[in-house]
Amino acid sequence: MKLLRRIVRLGVTDELNYQAKREIVATNNLTPILTGAIFLLMILRDIVIPNAPDKVYWTVGIGLFLLPLVLNAFFLTTISRLILCYVPVLFIWFSFVSSILQVDVVEQSMFDALRIFLLAVSFIPYLILDRTRPILLILGVLPTLVSFVFFTEIILLLGVPYEQSTLHTMDYELMGVRSFVAYLILSTGCFAFQAIISNNDRYNQKLLTELKTKSGEIEKQNKTLLQKQ
């Protein structure tokens, strides 16, 4: 338990405000979860596909997913959060594209699975980046946004054999629209939730300031009473 507490507190210092501490702690919690998910996928992949090739990049992927924890240990918290926004998206693209290039026939389900995994990590920037630094938030959201807006263009750019008879269906285009709408719903909901949390933080900070002011006034009154006595 002590080790887990130390991991969760990596990069947290006393001079940081409450919001910054919460974002760093969220990064330290998400990193092991994502790393465990990648490790589980690697094991399941070996079970479903015995002697599956390209095990090396899965091992490298696990190391990259642990990188934010290492950076937080050296108090490079901003870089670690941006890396946590980019590494999952880039790894998902790389793993799926490398797998697609190894098969003879590209099935539509492969592209659907790629979109689903991209949706699964699209919430990360809203948990570890706040609206007080909008440029960082935009940079964090950019990978998944570009992935959904330019999905077909990216797979063509990466050399995926898109022009196959199995993909010439209306459902492929519809799945793209559905995925983008789902991404907008998820992103909008996360942004609204983030706004609620930020407003609550400001309200709580205002209450604390008022309490400190009243406490100071009461202390002054007590001193005055003691002097009179």
Side-chain angles (χ1 to χ4, degrees), residues 52-72:
D54 298 329
K55 292 183 180 179
V56 175
Y57 75 74
W58 285 88
T59 306
V60 173
I62 291 173
L64 289 174
F65 274 73
L66 288 173
L67 185 58
L69 284 179
V70 178
L71 293 173
N72 280 344

Side-chain angles (χ1 to χ4, degrees), residues 16-225:
L16 293 173
N17 58 38
Y18 175 76
Q19 196 168 24
K21 290 179 180 178
R22 183 178 59 213
E23 291 166 2
I24 295 172
V25 169
T27 302
N28 293 335
N29 278 283
L30 279 173
T31 299
I33 292 172
L34 293 173
T35 306
I38 291 298
F39 184 71
L40 180 61
L41 283 173
M42 183 177 68
I43 294 175
L44 293 176
R45 186 170 179 266
D46 287 338
I47 294 174
V48 176
I49 310 174
N51 300 321
D54 298 329
K55 292 183 180 179
V56 175
Y57 75 74
W58 285 88
T59 306
V60 173
I62 291 173
L64 289 174
F65 274 73
L66 288 173
L67 185 58
L69 284 179
V70 178
L71 293 173
N72 280 344
F74 290 96
F75 302 100
L76 300 173
T77 56
T78 301
I79 298 175
S80 71
R81 282 179 281 172
L82 285 176
I83 286 177
L84 190 58
C85 293
Y86 278 79
V87 166
V89 178
L90 295 177
F91 183 79
I92 289 170
W93 271 107
F94 177 79
S95 60
F96 270 89
V97 169
S98 61
S99 299
I100 290 172
L101 291 176
Q102 292 175 3
V103 300
D104 297 327
V105 179
V106 180
E107 299 292 341
Q108 184 173 310
S109 59
M110 296 178 179
F111 295 94
D112 296 342
L114 173 56
R115 290 187 175 102
I116 290 171
F117 275 97
L118 289 172
L119 274 175
V121 298
S122 62
F123 71 95
I124 293 176
Y126 301 99
L127 289 184
I128 61 178
L129 299 170
D130 60 87
R131 296 187 304 164
T132 59
R133 303 171 74 180
I135 295 177
L136 282 180
L137 181 58
I138 292 171
L139 289 174
V141 173
L142 203 58
T144 49
L145 178 61
V146 171
S147 296
F148 281 102
V149 174
F150 302 103
F151 185 86
T152 301
E153 288 77 7
I154 292 173
I155 61 176
L156 290 174
L157 183 64
L158 294 175
V160 175
Y162 168 75
E163 295 296 332
Q164 293 199 20
S165 59
T166 54
L167 295 179
H168 286 220
T169 62
M170 180 63 70
D171 193 57
Y172 174 81
E173 302 297 336
L174 288 175
M175 187 60 186
V177 174
R178 296 183 192 119
S179 300
F180 183 67
V181 172
Y183 170 75
L184 289 179
I185 293 172
L186 183 60
S187 298
T188 305
C190 289
F191 188 79
F193 183 68
Q194 186 190 69
I196 292 171
I197 293 176
S198 298
N199 290 333
N200 285 338
D201 287 343
R202 285 194 295 269
Y203 181 71
N204 290 335
Q205 188 62 41
K206 182 180 178 181
L207 289 177
L208 287 173
T209 303
E210 291 177 355
L211 287 173
K212 287 181 180 180
T213 302
K214 291 180 180 179
S215 178
E217 292 176 355
I218 292 172
E219 187 176 353
K220 288 180 181 179
Q221 291 174 359
N222 288 335
K223 287 181 179 180
T224 303
L225 289 173

